[in-house]
Amino acid sequence: MMHIFSSTAFWKTAGLLLLSNCFMTYAWYGHLKTLGSKPLLIAVVASWGIAFFEYLIQVPANRIGHAGHIDLAQLKIMQEVIALSVFVPFSIFYMKEPVKLNFLWAALCMLGAVYFIFKD
């Protein structure tokens, strides 16, 4: 289990997925705060524009990870853990949503998923 976490491919993939998730989280949810009074088409086009940059980072991240012997299920769990790691602070600090105990339970479930998906 530990050998994959020490690989360069793992950390490059994780870093790129973290960055791509920052773009994607904003594309998916940022318009609710910044473009809430604008027509839907404007929000969609703006979100697509932001998502374009997310894909420029996410696609190479998955290629690097897969070439580095991270299998698809592991890539998916990495993506989901990173997505939650980006979403929770975004939700709390940017969108001003209240902190919920459910965040903790979701994080614990994700830790279990990480354990089982990366277990040899």
Side-chain angles (χ1 to χ4, degrees), residues 20-88:
S20 75
N21 268 278
C22 291
F23 281 100
M24 203 60 188
T25 298
Y26 190 79
W28 282 11
Y29 305 108
H31 65 87
L32 297 172
K33 182 175 182 177
T34 59
L35 299 174
S37 63
K38 302 289 183 194
L40 180 60
L41 183 60
I42 290 174
V44 168
V45 171
S47 292
W48 278 353
I50 295 165
F52 172 77
F53 294 100
E54 185 268 344
Y55 274 86
L56 287 177
I57 302 165
Q58 180 266 340
V59 171
N62 284 330
R63 285 182 171 218
I64 291 167
H66 198 255
H69 306 291
I70 302 171
D71 67 39
L72 292 180
Q74 291 169 334
L75 283 169
K76 183 59 181 170
I77 292 298
M78 280 179 71
Q79 150 54 34
E80 294 303 331
V81 168
I82 291 169
L84 252 183
S85 299
V86 170
F87 176 77
V88 170

Side-chain angles (χ1 to χ4, degrees), residues 67-117:
H69 306 291
I70 302 171
D71 67 39
L72 292 180
Q74 291 169 334
L75 283 169
K76 183 59 181 170
I77 292 298
M78 280 179 71
Q79 150 54 34
E80 294 303 331
V81 168
I82 291 169
L84 252 183
S85 299
V86 170
F87 176 77
V88 170
F90 175 85
S91 174
I92 294 167
F93 297 114
Y94 184 74
M95 297 297 289
K96 306 296 186 202
E97 294 283 323
V99 176
K100 296 180 181 176
L101 191 56
N102 291 349
F103 294 160
L104 172 64
W105 304 130
L108 290 173
C109 289
M110 293 303 288
L111 285 175
V114 168
Y115 173 77
F116 286 112
I117 209 70

